Amino acid sequence: MPEPAYEMSPRVEGASEDAAAGNNAARHVPCAPKIDIRPDGDRVTMAVCGELDLDAAQDLEQSLRQALIRSVQGVDLDLSHVAFCDCSALNVMLGLRARALREGKTLVVRDAGPAVERLLTLTGTVSLFAPTDADDAGEAWNPTDLDESEDESMLQDLRIEVVQLRRAMQTRPTIDLARGILMASFGLRPEDAWEVLVTASQNSNTKLHHLARDLVATVGGEALSEPLQKQVSAAVAKVSAGASVS
C-alpha cells in the first residue's frame, strides 16, 4: 500500500528588512510556503507553493532533508507554483544536492515556474538539477531560452538580489535579538514584537536594523534616545490594546 502524502507548512515569524521600508507592506508577515511531500516508488516528490526567500530557507532545508531521508533513489522537485525564489533557497538546494550525491541519490527539478527558471538559468545551475540516466524516464523541466537583452537585464536583477540577501543576512541576527528583548520586556508574542519594531521604525523614520541595534544596546546599559523611547512605547501600547480587544 502506498504511503499517504502529507503536507508541511512551516511557520515564518519574520519578514525581510526591505518589507519594513514600505508603508503598506511593512505590516505584512510573509506566509510560509506550502510544502507537499509524496512517495513515488523509490523516489519522493516534493511540491512547493509560495515564496522561497531568506525567511523560508530553514523550512525548505528541513523539508528537503526529510524527503531525502524517506527516499531510496532521491527527490523530485515540483517548483512550478513558486512565485519567488532567491539565492538563499538556491543555496539550500545546492547543499541538499551535494548530500544526496554522497548518499547515492539525486535531487531533480522536474518542473519550475518563471522565478525558479530565471534563477537557475542566470546562475548556470540548471544542469545540476537535471535528471540522470539512473533517474526514471519521466518528463523533465526544460528551461526557456533567454535572448541577450533579457539575459543582461535579469542578471542585473540577480546581482541586486544577492546584495539585498547579504544585507538581510547581516542584519537579521540583530533584529531577532531586538524582537526577543521586546517579547521579554513587554510579554509580547513574536508577531507583536515584529509589529512594534516596524511601527516604531516607520514613525521615527529610523531604519529597522538601526532601531534593532539601539534596542540591543540597552541590554549593556546604553539608553534609548527619548524620541525612540516614545515611539516604541506607543507601538507597544497599540499592539497590546489590539491584543486585548481580540
Side-chain angles (χ1 to χ4, degrees), residues 175-217:
I175 292 173
D176 285 342
L177 281 173
R179 291 171 65 213
I181 291 171
L182 291 172
M183 291 165 61
S185 300
F186 301 102
L188 300 176
R189 298 174 301 177
E191 58 269 28
D192 290 338
W194 173 254
E195 181 76 12
V196 167
L197 279 176
V198 170
T199 301
S201 171
Q202 289 179 338
N203 293 342
S204 64
N205 196 27
T206 304
K207 289 187 177 181
L208 186 63
H209 70 274
H210 288 169
L211 173 60
R213 179 198 60 198
D214 292 346
L215 280 170
V216 172

Side-chain angles (χ1 to χ4, degrees), residues 42-58:
D42 289 339
R43 301 184 64 80
V44 167
T45 296
M46 181 170 139
V48 183
C49 180
E51 298 183 356
L52 293 178
D53 55 12
L54 179 63
D55 292 297
Q58 183 177 0

